[in-house]
Every structure is written in structure tokens, then in C-alpha cells.
Amino acid sequence: MGITSNKQFRSFALIAASINFITGLLVIVGWILKTRAITHIKGDYISMKFNTALCVCFMGAALFFRLVRGVRKYKGLAYFFTSLSFLIALISFCEYLFGIDAYIDTLFYADSETVAIPHPQGRITPLTCLSIAVISAGIFFSGYYRAARVMQYMLHLITLITFIALMGYVFNIKALHSHSFPTSIALHSAVTMFLLSIGVALLNPELGLVRLFTGKLIGNLMAKQLFTRIVIAVVIVVYLFILTYRNNVMSVELAAVFYAIVLLFAMLLFINDASKALNKIELDRKLAEDRFQLVVESAPNALIISDTKGDILLANRQAKLTFGYSEDEMIGKKIEMLIPRNIRDYHPDIRNSFFQHPQKRSFTTLHDIYAVRKDGTEFPVEIGLTPINTDKGIVALSSIVDVTERKQNERIIRKQMKELKMKNNEMERFTYIASHDLQEPLRTVSNYIQFLQEDYPEIMNEEIKQHLSTIGSAVERMGILVRSLLDYGRLGQNKVLATTDCAQLLQEVVSDLNSLITTSGATIVIQPLPVIDCYRMELRQVFQNLINNAVKFRKKDVAPLVTISHRVVGEAYEFAVSDNGIGIERQHFDRIFLMFQRLHRQDDYQGYGVGLANCNKIVNFHGGRLWVESVPGEGSTFKFLIPFIKNES
Ligand code: ADP
């Protein structure tokens, strides 16, 4: 419970507070300037006493400070002002009660007027005393639930009494407001107390009769509308009745019957309006209900609504299909029948905890939840629970999806991934072992060539020498290929993640390739490069291979120009090494990244076709991708992505 947060109510209370404060202030000025039009309003009306005006000011200020939220100091001020007004009202009331003079009446202002009979000079009237005391206490206790509940009804009483007094003024019935102890109250006092009593009651809109009008349900809206209209109708009819009576237009009996009939017709009209509005709302509700039913029925998920006791209230078509029950076998039965036996006994506790803290919950495949069909078979499910507020209290809407198939697919994918990984490892192991074993016979062949050359010089003619030299270079080349294969297999085995300044890395690469660059007359342009987390040694190899190729595959008579640049693409760095070399035809764009794939003869451009395969593997284990963009005869750009990697070390 707390001070109202409803904007409308706050505005009303603020207006009431302001009117009070201003009226109080005006009347104080009126007394000081002795202006009867302000203090009395009309000649024969009783005046708003100086002390009343003070209290009205205090209460207005107190209500204002009570409405300002979040500032403790203001709450203190509210208590201070209400205490003051309460005290003044209490002392004045005690004066009446015990027939004493506590000198409060003339303490702040001495009224020279002596006509305030039957009230002693300047004293607040008893009814006003009561109103001030109740309203002050109402403001004081508005934050304390128990006291506020009682005060709310007291405030209603003040609203009623001041309303009667106001009617007295409107209908000019003196007995209702003036000179007849104890109902006398000044007109402006009646207005201010009336407004204040409502304004203060609105601080707790959920308490007392205010609840009837402040609630958001249809009944509350109807009550507010009907009550306002009835009050206005009654006031008008009573006023007309009095006028008729006073002017002797017709006999009292006739007037009573006539106005009773008028009132009846007015009521009938209001009831007609209200019933029309209610019928429309009922129709809309029914329509919404039908629509809800339709949506629930046609939902692809199994939907079940159950109450706090676990009784199933609704099950859609899919729910019946999923669980294999008929409508009758589900409705009114316990939801526990859909839960596997091993956890069935605990479920009521789980259910209770849900209803104690009703909020959306979901249980995915990660929770490993199972449901049970009518035939006893269990199946994995995903469940979404949503609490719904209904006129029967909170109920739970469970949305259930049978995930048997998904789980099976997940299992298959997991198995295939495992197999694939094993196959890959096997392949790598095989390549490594094969290349390792191949080196041995190669060494033997090359040893034998050496033996032949050294031990049999007598049979070495030019032709044999030539053959042996060809065999020798073929074996040497074979050795290099086998070593390359071995290196490829080992690549990344000892990789270390390091924060790397790419600009510095490129300086090192260029310095390594110095002799190639100078002899070819190449220009290497290194644009600003980032500092990144990567496998430094391996990345260095990538740049080395790409720059080496960019210089190697140059056009005849054109000095190579190689540019290294980068940009950030999403969550990765994209590096580019571009050249003005011979270029590559589109159909070879993929092939060149495979092991031992070359596009030229050894005589034209030397190489073994392993550089790009290595680059590709390195970029791949960074989680990136390597590709080429090229126009034959104009040049190529090799691009690769290195995703942002978090270096935890
Ligand atoms: P290698 O350079 O030893 O031949 P790579 O694997 O590095 O082997 O390259 C494979 C093939 O891709 C090369 O033989 C060449 O035909 C082509 N290639 C690589 N880089 C370039 C480039 N910058 N310009 C033109 N062609 C290139």
C-alpha cells in the first residue's frame, strides 16, 4: 500500500491541495483587510474563522507535501503541518467540550465582530473542528495501512456532512449550514473540507468506498458513471422541487409525485445506458473468448491450462493428440498424470512454488524434461509456463512441444561431428606417418646415387651422369614435397596465441624477403595495421607466403607493387595483400588453395604448390577464411579474415 500512483487521482488531490491553500490564504488576507465579501461571502452567511483559514492553509500544504514522492524532508513537512492543524482543531473542540477558553480563538487574530453566536468570538465551529481534525489525521496516517483504513471511512463521513452543508447553501436551507449548532459551517469551509476529504481519501484509492470508484473493473466504471449521474439528477430534481414548493406552483403532494416520476425516468435512462454499455462489454468479452478458444485450438503446440490445485481446465486439440487422451479424460483431471512417475510426487511442490511466484518460465531441452503419454511411453519435451489472471484466480498456461525428433537429430549430428573429427585426426596422422616413412627410401636412393658416382667412376660416361643427375634432382624435389607434407601435418601443433603488432610483424617479413624484393625491384606498401590477438608465428608465415607469391608472380618488365592493408568487418579483421602481377583466372580461384596445386610450369615460376595450402590451414585454425579476387593480366588480391580472439593469458 502507498500513496496513490494514479495520475488522475494525484491531479485531483493536487488541485484540492492548491484550492485549500489559496482559499485559506485569501481568507487570512480578508480578515486582515476586514473584507466581509471574503470572510463571509454573503452578509448572513457565517464566516470562515481566521483559525480555520490557517488550518485550511496548513492542510493544503500538508497534502501537497504528502504527494511529493521520494523526498523524506517533504514527508516531515507534511507531518508538521497536519499536526499543527490537528492541534488547533483539537484545542478548539476541547473548548466546546469542557466550556473553557484556551485563548486559541484570538491567539493569531482578534475578531472585533461579536455576532458569532452561538459560537464564541473567532472560534472554529464544532463541525469544522471535526472536519479539520479528521482530515489532518487522514493525511497524517495515510501511509499506515491499518489506521488509514479506519480514517478512510471517517473521511467519507466528512465528505457526506460537508456535502449536506453545501446542499444547504445551494438550496438555501439555513438549518443545514448556519446558526444551528452543531451543523454550522461556512460556505468556503464546506467547499474546502469537501474537496480535501476526497483528495486525502484518494491517497489510498484501494481503501474504503473510494475503491468502488477507483477500481479498473467494469463494475467500478459503471459505479462511477451511475453515481455521478444520480447525484447530479437528484440535486437538480430536489432543487426544482424546492423551487416549486417555494413559489407555490403546485401542492407539495403533487410536486412530490411529479418529481418522483421525473427522477424515475432519469434513473431508467441511466440504467438503460448502463445496461447497453454492459451488454456491449459482455459481447466483446465473448468475442475475445471465442477468439482465444480458436487460437488455442489451432495452436501447433500442445496447450494446457491448469489451476492452482493442478486440475486441468483446458486442453487443446494438439494436447490431446500429443498425450493420446480424449477431452473427457483430461478436463478436471490432475496435470500430474502427464508427468513421469519418478517425479510425479514432487510435482505438487513445483506447482506450488510456481503459483507463489507466478512468472513466465521455460524449460528447454537443456533441462532434460520428459512427459508421459496415456500408453505410458515417455518422451522429451520443451515447456513454457505462463501465469494468467482470470476471474477464478491465477491459472497456468503450459505450452508443450514434443522434441523427440529434434533430440534424435541432435544426437545424430553430434555422432557425425565426432566421427568427422576422428576421421580428420586419422587423416592427419596418416599424412604425417606416410611422409615420415617416405623420407627413408628417398634418403636410400640418394645415397645410392652418390655411391654409384663415387665408387664406379670407370663406367660413368656423360649419358649415365646425366641420368643420375636427373634422378638426383627428382629425388631432391620428392624430398622437398614429402617434407612439405610433413610440415603441413605439423602446422599449428605448437601454436601460441599472442598479442601482435601487425605493422611490426610485416617489417620482419619484409626484412626476411629483402633479397627477393631488391632483385625484383619490388615496392612494398604497408598501410596502417592493427594490434591483434593471433598465432603470431603462423600469421607471419601467411604474410610471408602471400608477399613472396605477389612478387614471384609478377609481369615481365613491370616492377611489382605489393600493398598490404586491413579493415574491420563485423567481429573480424579483414587483411588484404594485393599485387599488380599476372593474375589468376576465375576457374582456378578454389584449386590454388589445395596442396601441390600449381598453375605454371617449374621453368616459368618455381615452387611446390604448398604455400597457399599452408596459409589456408593457418587462417582456418584462427576461425577465419582465405580467398582470392583477381583479374588476369591486372593483378590479384588475397584476402583473409581473422576473427577477434580473446587472449586470456
Ligand atoms: P607456389 O607458389 O609454390 O606455386 P602456392 O600454393 O603458393 O604455390 O600457389 C599456388 C598457385 O597459385 C601458384 O602456383 C600460382 O599459380 C598461383 N598464385 C599464387 N599467388 C599468386 C599471385 N599473387 N598471382 C598469381 N598467381 C598466384
Side-chain angles (χ1 to χ4, degrees):
M1 193 203 69
I3 303 306
T4 178
S5 54
N6 183 300
K7 244 182 160 175
Q8 247 181 328
F9 306 156
R10 278 177 67 81
S11 310
F12 183 92
L14 269 174
I15 291 171
S18 315
I19 291 178
N20 267 262
F21 189 75
I22 294 167
T23 312
L25 218 62
L26 267 175
V27 173
I28 290 172
V29 174
W31 278 113
I32 294 168
L33 302 178
K34 300 198 188 328
T35 315
R36 279 182 72 87
I38 298 177
T39 52
H40 292 67
I41 297 186
K42 241 175 110 178
D44 56 341
Y45 283 2
I46 65 167
S47 58
M48 182 195 265
K49 299 293 171 286
F50 186 89
N51 280 359
T52 309
L54 254 184
C55 292
V56 164
C57 259
F58 290 158
M59 290 188 296
L63 180 57
F64 174 79
F65 287 124
R66 199 71 189 88
L67 285 164
V68 185
R69 272 175 298 188
V71 189
R72 281 187 79 85
K73 194 171 70 187
Y74 287 165
K75 209 168 157 187
L77 279 173
Y79 286 142
F80 173 70
F81 282 118
T82 47
S83 305
L84 277 183
S85 53
F86 184 81
L87 210 69
I88 295 173
L90 187 73
I91 297 173
S92 307
F93 198 72
C94 286
E95 286 180 327
Y96 284 115
L97 208 62
F98 305 115
I100 51 162
D101 184 1
Y103 305 107
I104 185 111
D105 311 327
T106 50
L107 183 64
F108 306 107
Y109 181 87
D111 186 355
S112 58
E113 223 182 45
T114 49
V115 289
I117 307 295
H119 316 302
Q121 184 183 1
R123 186 174 298 173
I124 307 175
T125 68
L127 181 59
T128 314
C129 276
L130 180 74
S131 307
I132 294 171
V134 169
I135 293 169
S136 302
I139 299 174
F140 195 97
F141 292 116
S142 56
Y144 305 94
Y145 182 70
R146 275 161 197 264
R149 244 172 52 176
V150 179
M151 288 316 304
Q152 198 76 336
Y153 288 100
M154 307 270 285
L155 286 165
H156 295 342
L157 188 74
I158 300 302
T159 311
L160 181 72
I161 296 175
T162 48
F163 180 74
I164 293 171
L166 279 175
M167 288 303 101
Y169 279 105
V170 172
F171 301 142
N172 203 9
I173 309 169
K174 285 217 169 57
L176 290 180
H177 60 81
S178 309
H179 304 308
S180 67
F181 185 83
T183 58
S184 57
I185 185 165
L187 173 58
H188 21 17
S189 299
V191 173
T192 48
M193 302 296 157
F194 177 72
L195 286 176
L196 258 191
S197 60
I198 298 176
V200 176
L202 281 175
L203 288 177
N204 289 302
E206 71 281 8
L207 296 182
L209 287 181
V210 200
R211 199 179 41 183
L212 186 67
F213 304 109
T214 53
K216 287 199 169 58
L217 297 178
I218 176 66
N220 306 113
L221 299 179
M222 280 288 118
K224 193 157 80 178
Q225 199 194 63
L226 270 178
F227 184 73
T228 327
R229 286 178 175 198
I230 289 171
V231 168
I232 295 171
V234 168
V235 169
I236 294 173
V237 167
V238 171
Y239 186 64
L240 291 174
F241 178 79
I242 293 172
L243 273 186
T244 319
Y245 170 73
R246 283 185 187 151
N247 296 320
N248 249 333
V249 178
M250 57 178 111
S251 73
V252 181
E253 292 86 349
L254 198 65
V257 174
F258 175 71
Y259 285 114
I261 290 169
V262 170
L263 208 57
L264 227 101
F265 266 108
M267 300 291 159
L268 211 68
L269 227 87
F270 300 156
I271 290 170
N272 182 43
D273 265 12
S275 78
K276 261 193 199 154
L278 276 177
N279 285 346
K280 190 179 168 320
I281 286 162
E282 170 71 13
L283 221 83
D284 287 351
R285 195 183 61 83
K286 194 134 177 35
L287 218 75
E289 219 175 81
D290 288 351
R291 233 176 269 153
F292 174 74
Q293 282 279 350
L294 203 78
V295 171
V296 168
E297 263 315 289
S298 54
N301 294 1
L303 295 179
I304 294 177
I305 293 181
S306 55
D307 63 13
T308 45
K309 292 188 293 225
D311 291 336
I312 298 176
L313 306 175
L314 185 146
N316 73 346
R317 200 180 56 88
Q318 188 57 40
K320 288 169 226 156
L321 272 176
T322 307
F323 289 96
Y325 287 105
S326 68
E327 172 97 8
D328 291 346
E329 287 170 327
M330 287 192 99
I331 306 300
K333 304 287 161 22
K334 290 279 179 226
I335 190 115
E336 275 75 23
M337 71 179 189
L338 311 176
I339 289 157
R341 272 184 196 289
N342 54 342
I343 54 161
R344 202 171 282 176
D345 293 343
Y346 314 118
H347 191 260
D349 291 339
I350 302 173
R351 172 157 44 84
N352 288 341
S353 99
F354 171 76
F355 281 111
Q356 266 160 20
H357 309 282
Q359 53 187 336
K360 270 190 173 185
R361 279 176 213 184
S362 58
F363 303 94
T364 61
T365 36
L366 296 176
H367 293 87
D368 217 18
I369 293 198
Y370 284 78
V372 62
R373 295 192 189 88
K374 185 183 172 184
D375 61 13
T377 51
E378 292 184 9
F379 59 103
V381 285
E382 249 182 25
I383 301 179
L385 285 179
T386 312
I388 304 179
N389 265 316
T390 68
D391 49 352
K392 293 184 192 81
I394 297 185
V395 296
L397 169 69
S398 321
S399 163
I400 304 148
V401 183
D402 181 348
V403 290
T404 311
E405 208 170 308
R406 197 192 313 164
K407 277 223 152 183
Q408 261 165 10
N409 288 342
E410 275 172 14
R411 254 198 305 275
I412 291 170
I413 290 171
R414 259 203 305 277
K415 199 169 152 232
Q416 283 175 345
M417 287 279 286
K418 213 165 144 188
E419 280 172 10
L420 206 71
K421 217 166 170 181
M422 269 166 58
K423 288 233 163 76
N424 258 340
N425 287 343
E426 244 169 58
M427 278 285 287
E428 281 197 0
R429 241 192 344 265
F430 171 77
T431 317
Y432 182 77
I433 292 167
S435 45
H436 190 265
D437 289 355
L438 271 175
Q439 285 202 311
E440 200 47 47
L442 281 177
R443 253 196 301 273
T444 313
V445 174
S446 103
N447 284 344
Y448 271 95
I449 293 171
Q450 211 175 347
F451 286 156
L452 283 173
Q453 282 170 337
E454 284 170 9
D455 296 350
Y456 302 96
E458 63 279 8
I459 55 162
M460 281 296 148
N461 58 29
E462 271 315 302
E463 200 183 344
I464 295 175
K465 269 187 191 165
Q466 184 65 43
H467 286 326
L468 282 181
S469 146
T470 313
I471 297 173
S473 49
V475 167
E476 193 187 336
R477 190 172 160 73
M478 182 78 171
I480 290 172
L481 294 184
V482 168
R483 253 199 313 283
S484 307
L485 216 60
L486 207 62
D487 290 344
Y488 181 81
R490 281 198 200 121
L491 206 59
Q493 268 175 11
N494 301 315
K495 59 184 189 292
V496 181
L497 202 61
T499 304
T500 304
D501 180 351
C502 292
Q504 195 193 333
L505 189 85
L506 260 293
Q507 287 305 337
E508 290 170 24
V509 171
V510 169
S511 133
D512 285 353
L513 296 173
N514 191 31
S515 78
L516 174 74
I517 293 168
T518 356
T519 50
S520 63
T523 308
I524 313 287
V525 179
I526 303 171
Q527 288 187 353
L529 294 177
V531 176
I532 67 168
D533 287 326
C534 65
Y535 302 110
R536 191 178 196 281
M537 289 306 293
E538 288 75 9
L539 193 71
R540 181 180 160 145
Q541 196 178 335
V542 172
F543 279 117
Q544 190 152 7
N545 279 333
L546 294 180
I547 296 173
N548 189 44
N549 280 352
V551 176
K552 183 165 67 173
F553 295 103
R554 60 181 176 270
K555 281 187 284 202
K556 278 194 179 66
D557 312 325
V558 180
L561 172 65
V562 185
T563 310
I564 300 108
S565 60
H566 93 287
R567 62 182 184 136
V568 173
V569 179
E571 299 262 287
Y573 298 101
E574 184 191 277
F575 291 93
V577 178
S578 54
D579 61 53
N580 57 346
I582 57 172
I584 304 163
E585 282 185 32
R586 176 168 286 276
Q587 75 255 33
H588 302 308
F589 278 6
D590 290 333
R591 190 159 83 85
I592 54 171
F593 295 105
L594 301 176
M595 199 66 169
F596 304 136
Q597 292 298 323
R598 311 197 65 237
L599 304 178
H600 307 95
R601 286 183 331 125
Q602 193 68 8
D603 297 345
D604 298 335
Y605 295 97
Q606 283 200 344
Y608 298 93
V610 292
L612 287 182
N614 281 345
C615 292
N616 200 29
K617 185 169 177 185
I618 294 168
V619 171
N620 280 349
F621 65 59
H622 273 91
R625 190 167 70 85
L626 169 66
W627 72 100
V628 67
E629 290 164 8
S630 176
V631 178
E634 284 185 20
S636 318
T637 301
F638 283 82
K639 291 185 175 175
F640 60 96
L641 286 171
I642 300 291
F644 297 164
I645 305 170
K646 193 77 225 99
N647 186 359
E648 302 295 345
S649 62

